[in-house]
Amino acid sequence: MSLNSEVYYQPTSAGRLAWREDGPAGGVPLVLFQRFRGTMDDWDPAFIAAISTDRRVIRFDSAGIGRSGGTVPDTVNGIAAVAAEFIRSLNHEQVDILGWSLGGVVGQQFALDFPYLVRRLIVAGSSPGPVPDGPQQHPRVPQIMTKSENGPDDFLFLFYPETESAVAAGRASLARLAAIPDRGPKVSAASFMGQVKAVSSWPGVLHRTKELRLPLLVANGAHDVMLPAYRSYVLSQQAPDAKLVLYPDAGHAFLFQHIDDFAAEIERFLDE
């Protein structure tokens, strides 16, 4: 796989934001919103290669994350506003968005706050906010997520089911991530707490899902211990134009486990 190794920096009112782009120019770009405690170097390079074959893909570190300056906003709306300014600063009138985990939360809020900027939205391994009924997060998740450092076994538990095939796929993905040259800094403790504060104060979108009138692809692993797939189902049932895809023997990082299948799903959805 051959990805663009160059890091660009874009000045914004929230600070100078670091970003990368891959794939051919032209058309509506796909902008990636990253997970909790993740940077733009935490996207599996095999996944980036697969989704950028025929379209421009942009990934960036939001304010206070990774290589970017500034501080993490203390609300999800604030994080969405940083993304909107970043996209406008690149002179894009409209984009497609793929948000994973926390990025899916930000993506939903972005679509509500800046509907004119987003054409199609993909919400991967995420949630529409508090869902009182149905399966809940595995009780071990908060303990592992709040460690100062997460090791390979932590990521395997959080992101992949404990089956032979899923663990093998998880180890392969972690090896690809570890091999990325010139990785940027990890998310700092202060930025981590900023993300926690933003998510904790977010009311969710269940009271506004009917306003998500854009085409919406909701996807998850059927065995996500962090954000159970039931929450993806709830979102898909309430949004007016949503398609739901669940992957068997997969968890939170299904997109790095079923790369070819999900990349094809993304291509079909964005090209419709």
Side-chain angles (χ1 to χ4, degrees):
M1 73 193 74
S2 178
L3 299 181
N4 182 8
S5 61
E6 188 168 359
V7 177
Y8 306 97
Y9 292 91
Q10 191 69 17
T12 73
S13 64
R16 196 174 68 142
L17 303 188
W19 62 287
R20 299 181 189 267
E21 61 180 355
D22 296 279
V28 178
L30 175 63
V31 180
L32 308 185
F33 289 2
Q34 183 58 294
R35 63 170 171 84
F36 180 69
R37 292 183 82 176
T39 73
M40 64 179 175
D41 292 329
D42 288 312
W43 294 100
D44 188 317
F47 176 69
I48 298 297
I51 64 174
S52 63
T53 301
D54 298 314
R55 75 179 69 249
R56 179 57 52 92
V57 174
I58 296 170
R59 49 204 160 110
F60 71 105
D61 286 337
S62 186
I65 300 296
R67 292 180 173 89
S68 290
T71 58
V72 175
D74 59 5
T75 65
V76 170
N77 300 73
I79 299 174
V82 169
E85 183 183 350
F86 168 70
I87 289 167
R88 286 192 297 251
S89 74
L90 297 182
N91 297 317
H92 293 303
E93 295 182 359
Q94 198 172 49
V95 299
D96 295 322
I97 290 172
L98 187 160
W100 175 34
S101 193
L102 170 61
V105 165
V106 176
Q108 293 170 76
Q109 193 63 55
F110 184 99
L112 292 171
D113 293 348
F114 307 97
Y116 56 90
L117 277 179
V118 56
R119 186 184 70 113
R120 288 174 177 257
L121 173 63
I122 303 168
V123 176
S126 194
S127 170
V131 178
D133 58 341
Q136 299 298 307
Q137 189 178 74
H138 192 288
R140 283 183 60 200
V141 167
Q143 173 191 355
I144 295 175
M145 283 181 64
T146 53
K147 286 184 177 180
S148 58
E149 292 282 345
N150 286 130
D153 289 342
D154 293 329
F155 282 115
L156 289 173
F157 171 76
L158 293 173
F159 290 171
Y160 300 91
E162 295 176 327
T163 65
E164 184 176 350
S165 60
V167 169
R171 292 193 186 283
S173 178
L174 290 175
R176 291 190 295 269
L177 287 163
I180 294 175
D182 190 29
R183 290 179 61 91
K186 296 180 180 181
V187 175
S188 68
S191 295
F192 157 67
M193 291 307 299
Q195 289 183 323
V196 170
K197 184 175 181 180
V199 172
S200 299
S201 63
W202 189 56
V205 300
L206 285 180
H207 61 299
R208 298 185 63 188
T209 46
K210 300 303 181 187
E211 298 175 48
L212 292 171
R213 300 184 183 92
L214 77 172
L216 175 62
L217 176 62
V218 185
N220 205 348
H223 305 284
D224 190 337
V225 298
M226 296 214 296
L227 294 170
Y230 177 72
R231 301 187 185 189
S232 296
Y233 169 77
V234 170
L235 174 60
S236 72
Q237 289 295 292
Q238 297 199 23
D241 188 10
K243 176 182 180 179
L244 174 66
V245 179
L246 295 180
Y247 287 87
D249 189 31
H252 199 62
F254 73 92
L255 63 174
F256 302 159
Q257 182 178 346
H258 297 282
I259 291 175
D260 291 341
D261 191 290
F262 189 47
E265 193 72 53
I266 290 170
E267 183 177 2
R268 283 193 298 270
F269 173 69
L270 296 182
D271 288 346
E272 286 178 356

